[in-house]
Amino acid sequence: MRPLLMVATPGEAQHLRGLGVSVRVSGIGAVNAALATADAVREERPDLVVSVGIGGAYPSSGLTFGDVAFSSEMIYATLGAMGGEGGQEFLDLAALGFELVDGLHNRLPAWDGAREWTRRAQGVLGEVNARAVLGPILTVDTVTGTASGADILERRFPGALVEGMEGSAVAHAARRLGVPALEIRSVSNPVGPRDRAAWRISEALTSLTVALQTVLRN
């Protein structure tokens, strides 16, 4: 297998350069991610595209610093419209009558090897009291910075593990070019009130690297 890792920032890429696979930096956000992924897939012809990085964990996920989330699906969590009584009902693209790729709307399925990779990563992360968990990962346009905002997204998408800003766009671009995709994010912070001083980016990147070293072995 020839995987391609897509990351948003040079800092994340720096930790992953020694894995022996191609690592490309897209820039932050969905537009950057989609355009960079499309270019990379056309140039490198990978068998799998993996959106990789750090992210915030939703309170109900039970995840903490250094835990690693593998996507069962990647969800455009903020792509749609608000409506209903008081304008508080979220309407996704299905409710609005729009379609994305192959009849899909806001939800893009992950590569079918995601469960096996999660199992393999759990074997090594368990040795350092971290976890690997499989579940939905949300893509947002704006980082969630309040407890009420986190609660809204958790109720909108039950079971959501973490949020990032690129995963669905990476998967969308890869899918259009016929390549399966997966998102993997290590927890650097909780989703909710922002306290950058409490983030543990180094710990998250270490766990992410360990997990990837394990799953990328042939």
Side-chain angles (χ1 to χ4, degrees):
M1 177 183 288
R2 292 177 296 107
L4 166 67
L5 305 186
M6 297 297 303
V7 301
T9 68
E12 291 166 314
Q14 182 178 353
H15 281 74
L16 307 176
R17 295 292 188 193
L19 292 173
V21 299
S22 181
V23 180
R24 300 283 287 260
V25 178
S26 68
I28 295 171
V31 173
N32 281 327
L35 292 172
T37 298
D39 287 344
V41 169
R42 291 188 185 103
E43 292 168 11
E44 301 197 21
R45 303 294 179 183
D47 300 311
L48 173 68
V49 179
V50 188
S51 178
V52 176
I54 61 175
Y58 290 101
S60 64
S61 71
L63 299 181
T64 190
F65 302 106
D67 289 340
V68 180
F70 288 74
S71 63
S72 58
E73 58 180 340
M74 292 142 292
I75 301 174
Y76 283 111
T78 55
L79 183 59
M82 300 303 295
E85 189 69 26
Q88 296 303 308
E89 177 186 359
F90 176 74
L91 304 173
D92 66 13
L93 296 184
L96 291 170
F98 296 110
E99 294 186 355
L100 290 179
V101 182
D102 301 331
L104 297 174
H105 296 98
N106 290 56
R107 296 173 179 262
L108 288 84
W111 171 57
D112 59 12
R115 185 173 299 278
E116 172 60 18
W117 272 24
T118 305
R119 185 193 65 78
R120 289 167 59 184
Q122 180 57 54
V124 66
L125 290 175
E127 297 175 5
V128 293
N129 296 316
R131 290 183 294 163
V133 180
L134 180 71
I137 295 181
L138 305 188
T139 301
V140 297
D141 296 311
T142 303
V143 172
T144 306
T146 64
S148 61
D151 180 65
I152 288 169
L153 288 170
E154 286 183 303
R155 287 188 282 109
R156 185 181 299 169
F157 302 105
L161 298 178
V162 302
E163 71 177 27
M165 301 179 76
E166 296 83 27
S168 295
V170 170
H172 193 170
R175 185 180 181 88
R176 286 185 68 95
L177 294 170
V179 182
L182 175 68
E183 184 172 6
I184 304 174
R185 289 196 179 270
S186 185
V187 176
S188 58
N189 59 282
V191 174
R194 287 177 57 77
D195 180 6
R196 190 60 182 263
W199 287 23
R200 300 184 189 174
I201 293 175
S202 178
E203 184 176 333
L205 288 171
T206 296
S207 290
L208 181 64
T209 304
V210 169
L212 287 168
Q213 286 173 334
T214 300
V215 300
L216 291 172
R217 290 194 194 113
N218 294 324

